[in-house]
Amino acid sequence: MGLNLYARIEEFLDFEEEVRRLHKEFLSILFHKQQNNILDIGCGQGAFLQHLKFNDVQAFGIDLSSEQIKHCKEKGLEASCTALKDVKEKYDCATAIFDVINYIPPKEIPTFFNEANLVLNQGGYFIFDVNSLFGFEDIAQGSLNINLEDKFIAIDAVFEDEKLTTDITLFSLSKNGLFKKEQDFIVQFYHKLAFLKKALNDAHFEIEEIKNFNLHSFDEADKLIFVCKKK
């Protein structure tokens, strides 16, 4: 799946305001729960890690994209290209922000939740967001073209069979004056509320709260934020 290609175009997608608002909500939850030893799962280029560092919160990030981790290290952040199952340390809280859970196929969710439980100290928190059905059907679908001086980006996202497939095409200007074409895709999955509740319970998490969150300016929530505690 094209996570590294997505990492190279992410800064041009103009999601900064949405990401800032979502991070602010997560920070509010963490401060309310007084969490100070955090594993950020799917940390991306480290934007949330930067917020935590600025607020003197101890945190470490992991991501499956080496390209994203390279950005983290350039910012002086503690992060590693490591799968959750390979994390040996224990944390008081784990976060998974901005669609991380939606990248995981349904059949792998129970294992992922169990792995999240294992990296937490007793009574630790697992806090994550997922896209609602409205978020997939009415927000995420569509096409986007970005025309810059040295690159052209084309994105086409289609939601069907409870799966959002986003095709990415990048044309980059090379030193010889010609454009190099790269293509890949990413897939996100819609997870029903009942399915997530059962998987969390089976992984020995208690759901303390499920918050509706409007990432975009609509009346209906396009995201749900889960605040869960290790039993």
Side-chain angles (χ1 to χ4, degrees):
M1 191 162 63
L3 293 176
N4 280 335
L5 183 58
Y6 180 79
R8 289 167 54 200
I9 69 165
E10 186 176 12
E11 63 180 296
F12 305 107
L13 300 183
D14 197 25
F15 288 150
E16 288 186 7
E17 177 59 24
E18 288 87 348
V19 172
R20 186 193 66 80
R21 289 182 57 246
L22 187 60
H23 285 176
K24 183 178 179 180
E25 185 68 23
F26 269 77
L27 286 171
S28 176
I29 296 169
L30 292 176
F31 294 155
H32 178 70
K33 299 294 183 183
Q34 298 182 321
Q35 298 300 299
N36 192 44
N37 179 27
I38 295 165
L39 175 68
D40 189 27
I41 305 167
C43 63
Q45 298 185 13
F48 191 62
L49 290 175
Q50 285 184 300
H51 288 306
L52 294 172
K53 185 177 181 179
F54 179 79
N55 286 279
D56 296 320
V57 176
Q58 181 181 345
F60 188 84
I62 59 172
D63 201 285
L64 296 178
S65 168
S66 58
E67 187 74 21
Q68 302 281 42
I69 294 301
K70 183 178 75 173
H71 286 288
C72 288
K73 292 186 178 297
E74 288 172 352
K75 298 171 184 174
L77 300 170
E78 295 291 327
S80 172
C81 187
T82 304
L84 179 58
K85 65 182 177 63
D86 296 323
V87 174
K88 306 303 181 185
E89 295 79 6
K90 295 283 188 178
Y91 296 86
D92 293 332
C93 180
T95 56
I97 304 174
F98 205 51
D99 303 352
V100 169
I101 302 301
N102 291 117
Y103 283 109
I104 304 171
K107 65 180 180 180
E108 297 177 17
I109 285 289
T111 299
F112 183 88
F113 284 173
N114 277 308
E115 291 170 354
N117 185 289
L118 290 174
V119 302
L120 290 173
N121 293 316
Q122 195 62 38
Y125 280 91
F126 179 34
I127 306 170
F128 64 90
D129 66 81
V130 293
N131 289 318
S132 67
L133 185 60
F134 173 78
F136 273 125
E137 291 183 332
D138 292 80
I139 305 297
Q141 285 197 99
S143 299
L144 175 66
N145 293 325
I146 302 172
N147 196 358
L148 304 170
E149 185 175 337
D150 62 344
K151 60 179 59 69
F152 177 79
I153 303 166
I155 298 172
D156 186 46
V158 177
F159 182 69
E160 58 184 5
D161 298 325
E162 300 188 338
K163 182 170 65 175
L164 181 79
T165 302
T166 303
D167 293 312
I168 304 169
T169 303
L170 171 64
F171 291 91
S172 302
L173 185 64
S174 59
K175 292 180 180 179
N176 61 11
L178 300 176
F179 279 87
K180 175 185 176 184
K181 180 181 180 181
E182 298 172 81
Q183 285 183 299
D184 215 325
F185 67 94
I186 55 176
V187 178
Q188 292 176 271
F189 302 88
Y190 168 62
H191 302 306
K192 294 180 179 178
L193 185 58
F195 166 74
L196 291 172
K197 286 181 175 180
K198 183 180 186 306
L200 287 165
N201 182 68
D202 291 345
H204 304 289
F205 281 110
E206 174 191 356
I207 301 173
E208 286 195 349
E209 185 179 10
I210 302 175
K211 304 183 69 171
N212 290 325
F213 188 78
N214 294 68
L215 193 64
H216 303 272
S217 299
F218 294 93
D219 293 333
E220 190 169 349
D222 47 65
K223 277 193 175 295
L224 301 174
I225 298 175
F226 284 70
V227 181
C228 310
K229 189 174 183 177
K230 180 174 179 175
K231 295 179 181 178

